[in-house]
Amino acid sequence: MATAPSAKLTPLLKDELDIVIPTIRNLDFLEMWRPFFEQYHLIIVQDGDPSKKIRVPDGFDCQLYNRNDVNRILGPKASCISFKDSACRCFGYLVSKKKYIFTIDDDCFVAKDPSGKEINALEQHIKNLLTPSTTHFFNTLYDPYREGADFVRGYPFSLREGAPTAVSHGLWLNIPDYDAPTQLVKPLERNTRYVDAVMTVPKGTLFPMCGMNLAFDRELIGPAMYFGLMGDGQPIGRYDDMWAGWCMKVICDHLGLGVKTGLPYIWHSKASNPFVNLKKEYKGIFWQEKAIPFFQSVSLPKECSSVEKCYLALAGEVKSKLGEVDPYFIKLADAMVTWIEAWNMVNSPGEKPAMTSLPNATSKK
């Protein structure tokens, strides 16, 4: 007698998480992710020519937004959303109605752990977000909330409750996330090291955040996850996630929130052109030597008790301090303010953004 097929298990946070994907191409890469993504809702942010048709494999519950949608939904405030740059992904954060966001690039595939088992990156991100961070005191066994780990001898009991985790930053096997000069001198280098560890980025410490394998609690830190003005018409690119990471970390430190990095890994399949990257990055390579000391020293007022208030205060500091470095930062600071205005407008009660239909995607009820 044939046995009935077993029902699919309901994945973690199925109705509380959106997957945001920026793209300029057909999303065939989703086939490899189908076992892990199929039951979640996807937000696809199409960059570039809005008349181009993007093909999405059947069976995914998804919404697609292109530049026409961005302009229609945000009106004049659409100026804060980058064009011809993956920074456009933050529009997906803006229109999501879910508590959690996972964002991934379309050249990232399912990685395998050293045993050969496929890694469910989304599940690991969720575990990272649902357990506290150790922001104030480093645990030498890394994440003490993981199964099989705990706080080591000498760890203060008063700090063992930890802090709420706002961001989970994942890593990559194969093509490492290098800047253009490093790509040029190490064109064949590949990351083959799988480190089975998750750790909290300590309070007061900045880090280079990569947006291609990233999850966050939208309710805790969403308004700070603005990927800046990059790409078309801007003097800089490939610093969108860096900028968001620096701003986010300063605000997390101020509000007592945690950031984790480490697991999960994805397989980064494609190395971008280092010469094209250098053209995008070269001003940023100089500017970061001014920007990072700024973020290391900036102090937010005590009365900044929300992410929005913190972000607006930070925008003011960017304008007054980094505006001296280059006029671009004055424009960027204004865009940061516009972003918060757009966030509040789109996320006001009763607001429901319209989206482009996907004729080649199945919309689940």
Side-chain angles (χ1 to χ4, degrees):
M1 182 177 179
T3 58
S6 58
K8 287 184 179 178
L9 294 176
T10 301
L12 292 170
L13 303 181
K14 173 182 177 294
D15 299 318
E16 299 178 67
L17 183 144
D18 276 335
I19 299 173
V20 175
I21 305 168
T23 193
I24 59 171
R25 59 181 61 88
N26 294 330
L27 295 178
D28 300 325
F29 91 112
L30 285 173
E31 286 294 356
M32 192 175 191
W33 287 102
R34 185 179 291 277
F36 308 117
F37 289 0
E38 191 174 25
Q39 295 189 62
Y40 289 92
H41 179 249
L42 278 58
I43 296 177
I44 299 161
V45 183
Q46 179 181 347
D47 197 16
D49 182 3
S51 67
K52 181 180 178 181
K53 297 296 183 183
I54 297 292
R55 188 177 70 248
V56 180
D58 290 341
F60 287 94
D61 173 19
C62 50
Q63 296 171 339
L64 182 143
Y65 297 88
N66 61 33
R67 193 68 199 188
N68 292 337
D69 299 309
V70 174
N71 293 336
R72 182 173 62 251
I73 292 166
L74 297 185
K77 293 178 175 47
S79 61
C80 71
I81 304 298
S82 298
F83 184 59
K84 294 185 178 179
D85 192 278
S86 64
C88 68
R89 78 176 76 225
C90 63
F91 180 77
Y93 311 160
L94 191 73
V95 297
S96 172
K97 299 300 181 185
K98 303 292 179 63
K99 177 175 171 58
Y100 299 98
I101 296 287
F102 169 55
T103 185
I104 186 170
D105 284 4
D106 60 15
D107 62 350
C108 296
F109 295 91
V110 178
K112 293 182 179 180
D113 66 19
S115 72
K117 181 182 179 183
E118 290 191 336
I119 298 167
N120 186 344
L122 183 51
E123 182 179 64
Q124 181 63 52
H125 275 301
I126 291 170
K127 289 178 179 179
N128 292 347
L129 290 171
L130 293 182
T131 52
S133 295
T134 52
T135 56
H136 296 284
F137 204 88
F138 188 79
N139 191 57
T140 51
L141 275 182
Y142 308 119
D143 189 347
Y145 305 101
R146 287 187 69 193
E147 186 177 348
D150 212 324
F151 294 97
V152 298
R153 182 170 56 89
Y155 199 101
F157 282 86
S158 59
L159 296 177
R160 294 191 181 193
E161 287 187 4
T165 301
V167 174
S168 171
H169 177 257
L171 299 175
W172 350 266
L173 293 172
N174 195 35
I175 306 293
D177 187 28
Y178 284 162
D179 53 38
T182 309
Q183 281 183 292
L184 285 167
V185 298
K186 295 183 173 182
L188 301 179
E189 185 157 291
R190 299 294 181 264
N191 182 35
T192 59
R193 295 177 65 241
Y194 179 95
V195 180
D196 186 15
V198 178
M199 63 186 74
T200 296
V201 182
K203 182 177 181 180
T205 300
L206 298 175
F207 74 108
M209 186 176 82
C210 173
M212 74 172 101
N213 176 22
L214 181 72
F216 62 92
D217 186 322
R218 187 177 176 277
E219 292 182 1
L220 281 182
I221 200 62
M225 299 299 283
Y226 174 51
F227 277 45
L229 283 179
M230 304 282 157
D232 193 52
Q234 308 303 331
I236 185 175
R238 284 174 55 84
Y239 272 86
D240 51 331
D241 41 9
M242 301 294 132
W243 183 262
W246 298 333
C247 293
M248 171 276 296
K249 188 57 167 60
V250 167
I251 292 172
C252 280
D253 287 351
H254 178 78
L255 296 177
L257 303 174
V259 178
K260 293 182 179 180
T261 187
L263 300 180
Y265 284 90
I266 50 86
W267 181 269
H268 186 208
S269 66
K270 186 177 69 176
S272 49
N273 187 309
F275 296 100
V276 173
N277 291 346
L278 186 60
K279 186 177 179 180
K280 295 177 180 179
E281 291 175 3
Y282 79 96
K283 287 190 176 181
I285 292 171
F286 291 104
W287 288 346
Q288 72 181 9
E289 302 304 321
K290 300 288 186 181
I292 291 173
F294 161 78
F295 283 107
Q296 288 173 327
S297 61
V298 70
S299 179
L300 299 176
K302 290 183 178 179
E303 56 266 24
C304 289
S305 56
S306 69
V307 176
E308 290 91 338
K309 289 179 180 179
C310 288
Y311 203 73
L312 291 174
L314 189 56
E317 291 293 309
V318 167
K319 193 168 193 173
S320 63
K321 304 289 176 53
L322 292 181
E324 299 174 354
V325 176
D326 191 272
Y328 164 74
F329 288 101
I330 297 175
K331 186 178 180 181
L332 177 56
D334 289 340
M336 293 168 70
V337 174
T338 303
W339 162 261
I340 293 298
E341 293 171 351
W343 184 277
N344 291 334
M345 178 184 75
V346 172
N347 291 284
S348 62
E351 188 68 30
K352 192 173 183 180
M355 74 293 298
T356 296
S357 63
L358 277 175
N360 297 323
T362 302
S363 179
K364 296 179 181 178
K365 303 298 183 184

